Amino acid sequence: MGMEEEEQVIGDFNRWRQRPELAEAVAAIKALTAVIQRSQASTMMGLEIELKNASEMLKAWDRSSISLSAGCDLFMRYVTRTSALEYEDINAGKSRLIERGERFGDISLKARETIALLGQDFVQDGCCILVHGSSRVVLALLKLAANNGKNFTVIVTEGGPKKTGMEVSKKLSAAGIPVTVIVDSAVAYTMDRVDMVLVGADGVVESGGIINVIGTFQVALIAHSMKRPFYVAAESFKFARLYPLDQQDLSISTGQEESSNPARDYTPPHYLTLLFTDLGVLTPSAVSDELIQLYL
Amino acid sequence: MVAAAMPDLQAAVDDFVIKLKRRQVEGSLATAKSTVLLLRQVVSHQRIPSSGPASSLIDAVKSVGSRLIAANPMELAVGNMVRRVLHIIREEEATIVAAQVGVTPVSDSDDDADVHGVPGLSAVALAAANRTALRAPSLHNLLESLPTSAGANVEPVPESDTKSRSSDKNSKSWKLKHGVIDAIGLLLGEIENYHSEISEQALEHIHQNEVILTLGRSRSLLHFFREAKKKRSFQVFVAEGAPRYQGHKFAKELAAMELQTTVITDSAVFALISRVNMVIVGAHAVMANGGIVAPVGMHMVALAARRHAVPFVVLTGLHKLCPLYPHNPSVVLNELKSPSQVLDFGEMSDCLDGTDGSPVHVVNPMFDYVPPELISLFITDSGGHNPSYVYRLVAEIYSPEDH
């Protein structure tokens, strides 16, 4: 596969990524579907190899993004399974794959809406929600709950040192939700008046734990010790074939720099109450079951 | 659309609805049995059109089911049984379709994955559709496109009851109906026998010279102890379970079995828990996250048990397993009973109506919610399970579209 092809794949990916509403994994899937459409391969095996190369290129482009590699893996698995079935000719197989790819892309695109629908049931009138990190899924969930007439307040952690919390609070205010921003160190202080904690995830691992922006583990520990439910909103394409046993395992698998200034941490499943995914509301123990179903 | 039901069926349904509203049917076992029997009647009376036989059955069961659930929302067993029957119908249809196409079926929900264009579809149904769509294309999924063609291979016949129907369609709907009725019969048998299934496991859990604590009264626990008594000697502390004092009745039943029984007040549980080897209780319902709805006071016992590292074991039949989460607005977690059970009306009648200052309120909740972290083990008719495994049981016996 030449440089030109590589540029095209990455170019496609970046083009899709431009759209702020699109998750990384979805952009990757769209790019891979485009590869199938362009492919000149005359056998299913050949097509599979092309796709594999494209997938590797995308993963190499951004090693640290877990949802990107999870999305690529999931799609490749999908493809391998489809191509294992016999098709009379390559074109029938290709069109089947493209149709599946589009469907996959559509589902993943709509995943956020499904999660918002499922999760907004948990938001009750008069409750106070603590949000950590900047997740579009969480934003969609809260906006939907507000649109459905629920009255609730949100406390957002500042999210230093990049202060991502300020962006989140602006967006929530714009949706008419009363927001308070607190410094990260004030989480334990405020946990008393919080009814539930809601975060997104960069990746969901096999044990049912999550990988998310640094500080999530801390918030989970505090929530757990003060018996507050800790909810995670994540799409199914973020389910990754990883099983970190501690925080160091995380940096090895994603290749992030040494732990002096980590960008992400791992929260074990023990501290999570429920996960809202587009496959339904899952307990952390149900995640590995779903993973097996998705990947097998 | 409600089935064009015969008047007897309509009368039977109305009768049951009234019984439920008046709380004349007591206990999850009796309710579950009556619900299943009624639904079997609905299924057998339902006239099945040749196209979409399953969906007409599903609609009929759903319409009767929603009436029943609305009659007594606290009795979760009604909703559970309705959903079980719906799941049975969907599974039977899947088996028949797969058999027709000559492929062995993979057990999974087979409903249309093309639901995305439908607005206002419940979130859970969407999630279910996503699940089937995202599963790697298996032989079973490929059949998605086939059922419509299988049904269309006979020329259309006007809807009528006459025997002029072509044998293909007739046999399919006939097979479906009778398959469903057979499966419902199996379900009924399962419900009726759950006591014995659970008691069979008694010897594994109760050991010689153990001290066991329980609260209130549970029929499954009675059978459980009876079975264990055959080979073990142990003693039981029964917390009386105010204000209904079911514990007293239970203690009498246990004493009649010649078990060494001690009755204690609910407040004494914490004091005595350190001398107890195990807590075994029954539950009213089990939620999808592994938490239970149990007679009031149970949460306190669970906390005491956790504090002293005493295993908290719950006996439950699968018919008590509810696929909903406790936060769900349609789940009613508690009911308030008459305060006269707590305070005699005569004693405090002057402060109760506020003639001397502000009135005294008396609240008499019937149930408690115990979160899954406090529960060590569920003993069900399908064996012993961890609370974190409950999601699996739910997935096996219910279809996500019906939640």
Side-chain angles (χ1 to χ4, degrees), chain A residues 78 81-82 96 103-104 107 114 117-118 121-122 236 274 278-281 285-286 289-290 293 296, chain B residues 113 116 121 123-124 126-127 130-131 133-137 139 142 144 289 325 327 329 388 391-392:
Chain A
Y78 215 59
R81 270 280 131 174
T82 318
R96 183 85 185 178
R103 183 109 76 95
F104 203 82
I107 290 175
T114 315
L117 262 176
L118 280 172
D121 262 343
F122 285 76
S236 60
L274 288 173
D278 50 315
L279 304 175
V281 176
S285 37
D289 245 11
E290 286 298 327
Q293 308 264 25
L296 224 48
Chain B
H116 292 292
L121 202 64
V124 192
L126 265 178
N130 288 347
R131 267 208 283 261
L134 281 178
R135 296 278 157 73
L139 283 172
L142 288 181
E144 288 167 39
N289 64 343
Y325 287 94
H327 75 282
S388 62
Y391 78 92
R392 196 62 182 274

Side-chain angles (χ1 to χ4, degrees), chain B residues 210-380:
Chain B
E210 277 204 326
V211 179
I212 301 180
L213 175 78
T214 185
L215 182 131
R217 175 174 178 260
S218 159
R219 262 166 306 213
S220 8
L221 194 49
L222 192 61
H223 291 262
F224 198 75
F225 282 153
R226 184 169 292 142
E227 195 55 42
K229 178 86 179 61
K230 292 181 185 164
K231 293 222 175 121
R232 309 262 192 260
S233 84
F234 53 98
Q235 53 167 315
V236 182
F237 279 51
V238 180
E240 57 187 3
R244 296 181 81 194
Y245 298 110
Q246 294 280 323
H248 297 172
K249 194 170 170 195
F250 194 48
K252 275 197 215 139
E253 288 168 344
L254 291 181
M257 284 191 329
E258 290 174 17
L259 257 181
Q260 201 186 339
T261 321
T262 314
V263 174
I264 59 173
T265 55
D266 299 344
S267 10
V269 165
F270 205 98
L272 290 165
I273 194 90
S274 46
R275 298 214 271 144
V276 159
N277 294 112
M278 179 154 66
V279 178
I280 314 184
V281 297
H284 171 73
V286 180
M287 313 303 297
N289 64 343
I292 61 168
V293 176
V296 67
M298 204 59 83
H299 195 170
M300 191 183 61
V301 176
L303 284 169
R306 174 55 47 131
R307 186 73 174 76
H308 287 263
V310 173
F312 187 86
V313 175
V314 178
L315 301 184
T316 169
L318 282 179
H319 66 277
K320 292 187 184 173
L321 181 57
C322 181
L324 305 172
Y325 287 94
H327 75 282
N328 194 315
S330 60
V331 169
V332 178
L333 277 183
N334 221 332
E335 227 179 10
L336 296 179
K337 287 273 178 187
S338 159
S340 61
Q341 281 179 346
V342 177
L343 275 185
D344 247 352
F345 189 64
E347 283 173 25
M348 305 213 8
S349 50
D350 30 359
C351 29
L352 279 176
D353 58 9
T355 39
D356 302 328
S358 46
V360 172
H361 291 287
V362 180
V363 172
N364 185 8
M366 201 167 156
F367 294 111
D368 244 347
Y369 169 69
V370 184
E373 305 84 67
L374 300 175
I375 302 171
S376 315
L377 184 69
F378 280 108
I379 299 181
T380 71

Side-chain angles (χ1 to χ4, degrees), chain B residues 148-160:
Chain B
T148 44
S149 56
N153 63 358
V154 188
E155 70 275 19
V157 173
E159 251 251 48
S160 70

Side-chain angles (χ1 to χ4, degrees), chain A residues 10-126:
Chain A
I10 309 246
D12 272 341
F13 174 59
N14 281 328
R15 223 176 344 105
W16 281 109
R17 237 168 135 220
Q18 296 294 333
R19 299 166 55 173
E21 282 312 292
L22 221 59
E24 280 204 21
V26 183
I29 292 165
K30 296 255 182 214
L32 289 174
T33 318
V35 169
I36 305 177
Q37 274 169 332
R38 278 197 307 267
S39 162
Q40 304 284 330
S42 53
T43 59
M44 286 305 284
M45 273 305 285
L47 180 58
E48 226 184 284
I49 294 175
E50 272 186 39
L51 271 174
K52 220 182 202 172
N53 289 337
S55 163
E56 288 305 314
M57 276 189 257
L58 278 172
K59 284 203 249 182
W61 176 253
D62 184 3
R63 276 235 167 270
S64 67
S65 172
I66 295 179
S67 65
L68 172 59
S69 59
C72 285
D73 282 342
L74 219 54
F75 189 68
M76 281 312 298
R77 198 76 202 128
Y78 215 59
V79 167
T80 327
R81 270 280 131 174
T82 318
S83 61
L85 305 162
E86 280 158 24
Y87 286 102
E88 282 157 12
D89 70 319
I90 177 84
N91 288 322
K94 265 175 79 174
S95 55
R96 183 85 185 178
L97 273 177
I98 292 175
E99 181 217 335
R100 292 264 159 188
E102 309 264 296
R103 183 109 76 95
F104 203 82
D106 287 337
I107 290 175
S108 309
L109 218 60
K110 297 208 173 78
R112 229 174 267 163
E113 291 165 20
T114 315
I115 296 176
L117 262 176
L118 280 172
Q120 56 104 26
D121 262 343
F122 285 76
V123 176
Q124 273 133 17
D125 263 334

Side-chain angles (χ1 to χ4, degrees), chain A residues 205-246:
Chain A
V205 296
E206 279 182 45
S207 59
I210 58 165
I211 297 174
N212 200 21
V213 71
I214 193 82
T216 310
F217 187 20
Q218 223 155 283
V219 177
L221 277 166
I222 297 171
H224 188 256
S225 84
M226 296 175 81
K227 309 248 188 293
R228 300 290 190 263
F230 190 91
Y231 299 126
V232 177
E235 302 100 313
S236 60
F237 52 74
K238 291 183 175 160
F239 285 19
R241 296 292 302 276
L242 290 168
Y243 206 120
L245 295 171
D246 57 25

